[in-house]
């Protein structure tokens, strides 16, 4: 893998991250926000794989596994919160749960 | 006997301390006894001191040191002088003081006990302060006494404190003299810094060494201070209103002693003024101006005390004139004689008006000759002395000495003499105007006679002195170091004729009162007599405006309470219209026609008095615009409001920033994204090369 | 694994055992027992570190460092968690909260020892996830809302952090802090994103939005964990980054200074007229994070000591204030505090002293902390930052003073429960620490200096 | 050790008062006893005689790694100010005997702690310890105003706190900058004074210091906190604020500006004098427009403190002596007037000059006391205020006669506000209608003591100046 490949993949990773961020910003549904979060996390995951490959360093793959674990736990906790919130408020609109402000 | 000198003021001071500070109830008789005794004792103590002068102890420059304080910063030498000057003035003060207090023991006897006690306490304090002024041989003691008598004057003028006018008059006197005192203090400080000592003799010894460019301002400041205390033009306005005090106060403070303190000071610092001739000339000019104007204004007065006040002003003008011309001895002799006859006039006028039901209007004295013969005749003697009837009165001798000094004072002597002689004519006129009115018949003679030893003794003694004291004038002048000036016969004769002319004029005026009224009416349109109004307009009003605007009185709790009450519908009289500094009037909306009206509205009483005088009005308009401009710049709301604006700005910022905290997770995430973007931009910008 | 290495790791092991034990005890024992087991774990972990005072740093490899700041951080995290455990009242029959609390402590302990991206990441995630669970623990609408928002934002911040690490990794090929460096564009971008991710956990403006919500909605002791334990751990890790990594310079220091300055100003501004005590404290922690960030950004020789010193003084004040807030029921506002002095003098004194310390006025410890802050900034000649600190603190006086007075004036009625003995003990300890740090700071300063000594 | 005891005594006394408070008047007596003990201790220290410059001088390490030490020294100036602190403390307790009925323990504790912190300020010669006490005194004073004040007390207290605490940063920042320039880490003023700094650096440092001092002195335009704080504070608070806290600003300027920055002070002195003159005039003018008696006195404090500033800035012997005397004199007169107005307010529940009057008819003791202290206010010769102001003005004449004339004009303004106070309270028809009770002994004796003090210093200033002379000599920056 050459340096320019690495840059290309890094740009892709950053693009994934940006898409995820945009998803969180653009979607009001909580479920979609959680999905967008997964997309955002996949960006760095890709980055670690690519960088690990470039430097021939297994640590990159180790980081990849950690990121995946995190993504899974985040989604698990997030889904639990989502269910509880929807039962309590009857909506999945994240804009609607804005009781804490000021 | 010199060692007795420092103890002369002590009884008076003790009297004050006992009467005012010792919280023990005293009976009426005890208060009077204490108060009068504390004033008589100094006279008794002074007697041996005065006698020792005959033995020749009192020479110029004789000083009794009291103590010297090394403050670490400078050495303050407190001392009393035993020179002829202080002996003459001191003798006069103790004599007049004792007599006036004896008199007031009877005059004030019917006042409520607390007021009586306060009266005697302050009178005693005044006497102590006055003695400090006359005996002081150093500026510290001098200024101590100087300010003390100023404060006592305020307290005594405001004695009838339930009358707002009395308190206002007292404040006016105190503030006006304080303005002058500040000048005096400045002058004394500069003199002190140049001479390096607080002793007056040391200061005077240093005078020749002082650069004339420095000496002139020093002399100027000191002269202003002295003139202010002595109610000379342009500080004269406080004296007539000071007559709101009780009559003995007017007799002691505002005729005989306190107002003459300036004269004493000028006489004591005569070498200083001799070294600053231009300032001396100014002093002389102001003196003659006051003498003439005072006499003229006295002529049209309808109140006997006011008349005497203007007369005091005028007579002190004569003394100041003499001082300005470099004849302190003459001025001092006139001071002594004037003190005697002026207090005599006040005391006897007090008796007469007492018999007339307390009114001090000249008209109400009509018939006093039959009701109060003793008082009337002593008044007549006093008036004769004031007018300076030739040969038989003391006043003639001292005034002649002044006129002679004027005549022989160089190229300007003759015109000045003419002016002074005119003033003398007017003096005779106004003095005898009262006498003639009091001597006339009236239907109502039923008022009770009033007298007693406490009244008779002072009147008699003062009358005697006012008649025979003239014989001592020559000796006095010699004693205080002046030379008898031999004037040509013509001015002497003319000078003698002046009072007689005045008496004739008075006769005429009393016979035809309408002429006097016409004169009074005409004089009211002459601008110089509107001085009082201008003074009020330019200083008092302006000051009040500045103070109110600066003071931001709306912020105070009391006003806030009043506003709250008014909101509830309760009428609060003191809110806007009764603003203590009187700026409510400007709130009134009137029809505004032209600039002048606009600039002068709300000032009705004052402006009306200047109406028909375009120059005066223009001046006022300019002054008002000028001050308004500056006051607007100076508004303290701005200092405070700027600070509070900062606080308010922070509050607004809080409300603004707070709105970013919307509670929506998308908005919050947006901030995170923006933060990331910002940091990335920063990283991009700084790693670009 | 050598004995020294095991000894260095033993606190983490003990904490992990305690967390598991507390979890296992839930169906078997009463809440008190569960809490006790958590407390024992925390205390033993702290003691294990303290026993090794003076011991040389064990060679642990890049994943875990065993230096002074790490030990300080572990003890600090354990003790503050112990304090937070005292007033951990979730108001819910579930008894898992103590276990979660120990998990937070584990996260913090991991984070403070982090010398490698993996530990950094793990520590942050353990912290975040257990905090999310604690925020939501009451299952109230507000708690869930705060937890959800925190989850989403924390996810974003984590991805930013990870992307940053990935970018740096891509350029430098290293994942341990010591290997980070260089001046390439990728490192610069990576540093920016790394900073963003850390700033979120450190609640620096503009990544601060979650803080007040968490303080308002979560149980007060969860707020303590978020505001003190997690934040201190992040502070120590940022400090370690500043000391060991050679991150590209203008980005790291000036970026940190910019975030810190913004936090000082905006945090204080946001708290200015906030009527609610916990929310106000939330905003005020933003400002305090800002002060600490400024210290680190100054890069002066004493910065490390100043950070630890600041944290040590900040902790008892925040702990005391939040304990009182917990005692007064949910989200007490300014009027609720009126007359507190007559009703509950201990709470009133503790709250006032805590606020005094946070405001940085003597004789409370906060004054000394502020002195240190100013000294560090002035040593660095950073007069702009001094100006920002002065402006921010002056704003701070306003709201602290308002809450400071409230307990002494007026009267209100309340029928809340009297405070348990343990809470009283905690408050007394906080008061004592605040005063001792305020009038005799030499001891603490010595500890901090010794900690930072190489 | 005695010096530390002087600080610790009131600090501990406050704690004791806090805990013994309850039924009875125990906390009041404890507080009085504390201050009395302080006076005894102070006399014991002064009686040792010292070495001509310092009566006692000690130094203990506090935070050695920081270069901070507990560096305390006492000379005549410090001793005078501490005596004032203890005396005013006793007077404050007496003045609040019937006024303070709620949370009396905390009140007296705050009183004690305010005094303890100010004593610390007067003794400290380590800049950071000085700053420590400087900021520490704000807190109990803030509490005094915010809890026991009147009206919008919290607003007033906040203004007080924020102004002073924010300005305190100037002191802190300049101290650190100064220490950073030293060759080793030290904050000892004695050691820092040895440094030779260039004039511009000195000016900057001085500006930092004087920011704190001038806000405390409340020289316009930094005065905005003072009127509200003085007006709305309880009587004891006003007494301590005017009599003690303002003096710490004057003390700091007097002590440290010439000691640490002689060249800087000389360079900015004309501006200092001008600011003081303008401030004195401004404060006086504003005082003339007040209806609230307490507010009026508060503004006179601004005027008098500006005169002190002028004196210190002038830097000549007369002016410094005058400034020192004026500090003491103003403590007496302002505290006494606040005490009197507070006692009056307790009886009438108003301080509005238009709703009061005729005291000389109804309450002659009140009237006499007001007359005495109004005389002091207008700087009547014979009162300490005159000595102070006259010496300051003489000194300024040596420096610049234009400013001296400006300063003299404040004497004119002072007579206007003083007589306004007299007119509103003492003269006139007795108001309000039910005649009020005259002073009780608790109110009378403090007034008597302060009155005698004013007169003694006024008539025999050497009594005070001899004590202050070494400090004044040390503060000289010009010897014309």
């Amino acid at each position: 893998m050459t340096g320019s490949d690495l840059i290309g993949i890094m740009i892709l990773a950053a693009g994934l991250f940006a898409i995820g961020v945009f998803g969180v910003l653009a979607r009001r549904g909580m479920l979609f926000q959680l999905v967008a979060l997964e997309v955002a996390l996949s960006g760095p995951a890709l980055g670690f794989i690519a960088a690990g490959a470039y430097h021939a360093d297994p640590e990159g793959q180790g980081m990849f596994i950690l990121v995946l674990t995190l993504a899974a736990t985040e989604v698990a906790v997030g889904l639990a919160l989502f269910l509880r919130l929807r039962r309590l408020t009857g909506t999945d609109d994240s804009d609607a749960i804005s009781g804490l402000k000021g | 006997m010199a060692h007795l000198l420092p103890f002369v003021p002590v009884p008076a001071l003790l009297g004050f301390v006992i009467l005012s500070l010792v919280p023990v109830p005293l009976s009426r008789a005890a208060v009077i006894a204490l108060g009068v005794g504390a004033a008589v004792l100094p006279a008794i103590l002074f007697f041996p001191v005065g006698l020792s002068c005959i033995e020749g102890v009192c020479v110029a420059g004789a000083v009794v040191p009291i103590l010297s304080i090394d403050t670490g910063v400078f050495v303050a030498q407190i001392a009393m002088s035993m020179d002829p000057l202080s002996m003459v003035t001191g003798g006069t003060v103790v004599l007049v003081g004792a007599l006036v207090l004896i008199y007031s023991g009877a005059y004030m006897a019917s006042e409520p006990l607390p007021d009586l006690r306060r009266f005697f306490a302050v009178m005693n304090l005044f006497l102590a302060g006055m003695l400090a002024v006359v005996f002081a041989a150093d500026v510290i003691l001098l200024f101590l006494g100087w300010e003390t008598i100023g404060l006592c004057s305020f307290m005594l003028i405001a004695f009838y404190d339930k009358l707002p006018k009395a308190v206002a008059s007292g404040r006016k006197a105190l503030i006006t003299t304080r303005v002058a005192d500040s000048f005096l203090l400045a002058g004394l400080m500069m003199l002190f810094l140049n001479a390096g000592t607080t002793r007056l003799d040391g200061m005077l010894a240093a005078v020749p060494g002082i650069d004339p460019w420095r000496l002139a301002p020093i002399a100027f400041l000191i002269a202003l201070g002295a003139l202010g205390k002595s109610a000379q033009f342009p500080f004269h306005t406080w004296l007539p209103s000071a007559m709101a005090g009780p009559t003995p106060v007017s007799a002691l403070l505002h005729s005989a002693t306190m107002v003459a303190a300036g004269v004493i000071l000028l006489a004591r610092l005569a070498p200083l003024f001799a070294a600053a001739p231009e300032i001396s000339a100014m002093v002389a000019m102001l003196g003659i101006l006051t003498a003439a104007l005072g006499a003229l204004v006295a002529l049209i007065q309808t109140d006997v005390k006011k008349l005497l006040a203007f007369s005091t002003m005028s007579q002190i003008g004569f003394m100041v004139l003499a001082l300005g011309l470099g004849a302190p001895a003459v001025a001092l002799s006139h001071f002594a004689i004037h003190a005697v006859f002026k207090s005599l006039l006040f005391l006897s006028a007090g008796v007469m008006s007492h018999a007339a039901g307390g009114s001090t209007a000249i008209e109400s004295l009509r018939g006093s000759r039959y009701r109060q013969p003793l008082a009337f005749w002593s008044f007549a003697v006093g008036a004769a002395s004031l007018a300076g009837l030739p040969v038989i009165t003391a006043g003639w001798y001292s005034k002649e000495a002044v006129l002679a000094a004027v005549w022989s004072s160089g190229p300007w002597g003759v015109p000045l003499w003419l002016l002074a002689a005119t003033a003398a004519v007017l003096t005779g006129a106004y003095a005898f105007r009262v006498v003639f009115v009091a001597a006339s018949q009236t239907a109502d003679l039923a008022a009770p006679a009033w007298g007693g030893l406490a009244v008779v003794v002072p009147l008699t003694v003062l009358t005697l002195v006012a008649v025979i004291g003239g014989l001592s004038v020559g000796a006095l002048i010699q004693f205080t170091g002046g030379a008898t000036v031999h004037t040509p016969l013509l001015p002497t004769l003319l000078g003698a004729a002046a009072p007689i002319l005045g008496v004739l004029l008075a006769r005429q005026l009393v016979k035809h009162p309408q002429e006097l009224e016409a004169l009074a009416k005409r004089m009211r349109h002459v601008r110089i007599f509107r001085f009082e109004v201008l003074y009020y307009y330019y200083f008092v009003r302006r000051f009040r405006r500045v103070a109110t605007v600066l003071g931001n009185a709306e912020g105070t709790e009391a006003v806030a309470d009043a506003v709250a009450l008014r909101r509830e519908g309760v009428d609060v009289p003191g809110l806007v219209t009764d603003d203590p500094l009187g700026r409510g009037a400007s709130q009134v909306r009137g029809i505004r026609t032209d600039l002048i009206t606009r600039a002068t509205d709300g000032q009705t009483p004052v402006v009306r008095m200047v109406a028909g005088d375009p120059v005066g009005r223009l001046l006022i308009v300019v002054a008002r615009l000028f001050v308004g401009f500056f006051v607007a710049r100076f508004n303290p709301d701005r200092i405070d409001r700027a600070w509070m604006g900062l606080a308010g700005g922070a509050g607004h910022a809080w409300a603004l920033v707070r709105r970013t905290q919307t509670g929506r997770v998308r908005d919050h995430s947006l901030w995170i994204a923006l933060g990331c973007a910002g940091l990335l931009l920063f990283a991009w910008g700084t790693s670009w090369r | 694994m050598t004995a020294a290495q095991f000894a260095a790791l033993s606190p983490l092991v003990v904490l992990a055992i305690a967390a598991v034990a507390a979890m296992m005890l839930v169906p078997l024992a009463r809440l008190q027992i569960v809490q006790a087991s958590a407390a024992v774990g925390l205390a033993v972990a702290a003691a294990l570190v303290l026993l090794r005072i003076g011991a040389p740093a064990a060679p642990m490899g890049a994943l875990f460092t065993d230096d002074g700041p790490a030990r300080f951080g572990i003890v600090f995290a354990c003790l503050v968690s112990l304090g937070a455990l005292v007033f951990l009242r979730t108001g819910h029959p579930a008894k898992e909260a103590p276990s979660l609390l120990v998990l937070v402590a584990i996260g913090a302990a991991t984070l403070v020892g982090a010398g490698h991206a993996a530990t950094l990441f793990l520590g942050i995630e353990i912290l975040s996830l257990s905090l999310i669970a604690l925020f939501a623990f009451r299952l109230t609408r507000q708690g869930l809302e705060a937890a959800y928002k925190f989850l989403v934002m924390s996810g974003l911040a984590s991805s930013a952090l990870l992307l940053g690490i990935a970018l740096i990794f891509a350029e430098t090929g290293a994942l341990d802090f010591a290997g980070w460096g260089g001046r390439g564009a990728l490192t610069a971008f990576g540093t920016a994103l790394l900073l963003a991710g850390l700033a979120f956990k450190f609640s620096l403006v503009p990544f601060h939005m979650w803080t007040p919500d968490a303080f308002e909605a979560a149980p007060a002791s969860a707020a303590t964990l978020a505001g003190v334990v997690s934040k201190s751990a992040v502070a120590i890790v940022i400090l370690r980054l500043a000391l060991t990594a050679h991150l590209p310079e203008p980005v790291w220091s000036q970026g940190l200074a910019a975030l810190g300055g913004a936090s000082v100003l905006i945090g204080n501004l946001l708290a200015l007229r906030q009527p609610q005590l916990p929310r106000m404290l939330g905003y005020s922690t933003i400002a305090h994070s800002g002060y600490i960030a400024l210290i680190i950004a100054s890069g002066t020789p004493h910065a490390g000591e100043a950070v630890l010193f600041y944290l040590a003084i900040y902790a008892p004040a925040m702990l005391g204030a939040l304990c009182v807030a917990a005692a007064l029921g949910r989200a007490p506002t300014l009027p609720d505090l009126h007359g507190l002095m007559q009703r509950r003098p201990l709470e009133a004194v503790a709250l006032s002293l805590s606020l005094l310390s946070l405001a940085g006025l003597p004789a409370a410890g906060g004054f000394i902390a502020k002195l240190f802050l100013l000294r560090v900034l002035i040593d660095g000649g950073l007069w702009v930052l001094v100006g920002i600190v002065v402006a921010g603190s002056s704003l701070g006086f306003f709201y602290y003073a308002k809450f400071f007075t409230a307990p002494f004036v007026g009267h209100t009625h309340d029928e809340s429960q009297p405070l348990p003995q343990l809470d009283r003990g905690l408050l007394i300890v906080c008061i004592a620490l605040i005063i001792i740090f305020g009038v005799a700071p030499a001891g603490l300063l010595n500890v901090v200096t010794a900690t930072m000594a190489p | 050790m005695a010096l530390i005891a002087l600080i610790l005594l009131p600090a501990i006394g406050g704690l004791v008062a806090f805990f013994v408070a309850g039924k009875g008047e125990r906390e009041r007596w404890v507080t009085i006893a504390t201050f009395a003990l302080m006076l005894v201790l102070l006399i014991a220290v002064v009686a040792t005689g010292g070495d001509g410059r310092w009566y006692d001088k000690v130094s203990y390490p506090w935070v050695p790694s920081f270069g901070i030490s507990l560096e305390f020294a006492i000379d005549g100036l410090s001793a005078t100010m501490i005596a004032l602190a203890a005396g005013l403390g006793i007077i404050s307790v007496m003045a609040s005997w019937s006024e303070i009925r709620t949370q009396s323990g905390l009140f007296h504790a705050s009183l004690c702690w305010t005094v303890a912190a100010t004593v610390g300020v007067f003794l400290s010669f380590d800049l950071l310890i000085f700053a420590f006490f400087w900021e520490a005194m704000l807190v109990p004073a803030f509490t005094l105003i915010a809890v026991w004040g009147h009206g919008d007390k919290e607003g007033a207290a906040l203004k007080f706190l924020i102004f002073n605490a924010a300005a305190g940063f100037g002191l802190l920042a300049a101290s650190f900058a100064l220490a950073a320039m030293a060759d080793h880490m030290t904050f000892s003023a004695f050691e820092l004074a040895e440094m030779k700094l260039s004039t511009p650096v000195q000016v900057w440092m001085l500006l930092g210091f004087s920011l704190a001092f001038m806000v405390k002195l409340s020289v316009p335009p930094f005065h905005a906190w003072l009127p509200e704080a003085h007006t709305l504070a309880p009587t004891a608070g006003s007494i301590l604020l005017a009599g003690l806290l303002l003096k710490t600003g004057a003390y700091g300027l007097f002590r440290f500006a010439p000691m640490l920055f002689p060249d800087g002070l000389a360079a900015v002195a004309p501006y200092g004098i001008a600011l003081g003159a303008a401030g004195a005039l401004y404060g006086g003018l504003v005082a003339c427009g007040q209806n609230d008696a307490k507010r009026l006195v508060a503004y006179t404090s601004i005027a008098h403190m500006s005169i002190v500033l002028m004196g210190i800035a002038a830097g000549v012997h007369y002016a410094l002596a005058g400034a020192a005397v004026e500090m003491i004199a103003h403590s007496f007169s302002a505290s006494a007037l606040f005490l009197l107005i507070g006692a009056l307010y307790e009886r009438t529940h108003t301080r509005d000059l238009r709703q009061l009057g005729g005291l000389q008819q109804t309450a002659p003791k009140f009237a006499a006391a007001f007359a005495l202290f109004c005389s002091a206010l207008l700087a009547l010769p014979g009162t300490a205020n005159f000595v102070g102001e006259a010496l300051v003005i003489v000194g300024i004449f040596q420096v610049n006669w234009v400013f001296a004339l400006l300063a003299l004009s404040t004497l004119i303004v002072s007579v206007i506000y003083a007589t306004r106070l007299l007119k509103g309270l003492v003269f006139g028809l007795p108001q309000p209608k039910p005649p009020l009770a005259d002073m009780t002994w608790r109110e009378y004796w403090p007034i008597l003591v302060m009155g005698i003090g004013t007169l003694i210093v006024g008539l025999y200033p050497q009594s005070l100046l001899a004590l202050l002379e070494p400090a004044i000599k040390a503060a000289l920056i010009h010897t014309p």
Side-chain angles (χ1 to χ4, degrees), chain C residues 227-276:
Chain C
V228 185
V229 178
S230 123
K231 207 179 261 191
S232 318
V234 177
I236 290 175
V237 104
I238 295 179
L239 179 65
R240 192 188 309 284
L241 276 171
L243 293 178
T244 57
H246 310 283
L247 293 165
E249 216 8 276
V251 185
W252 174 253
S253 286
Q254 292 188 13
L256 194 57
L259 295 179
S263 305
V264 167
L265 290 178
I266 299 201
N268 278 315
L269 200 55
L270 277 168
L272 200 62
R273 291 194 181 156
Q274 181 54 245
Q276 216 181 60

Side-chain angles (χ1 to χ4, degrees), chain B residues 539-558:
Chain B
F539 293 105
V540 179
R541 279 266 164 178
R542 293 278 71 93
F543 179 81
R544 283 180 175 179
R545 175 157 174 75
V546 172
T548 315
V549 174
L550 289 184
N552 185 18
E554 308 85 62
T556 60
E557 211 178 318

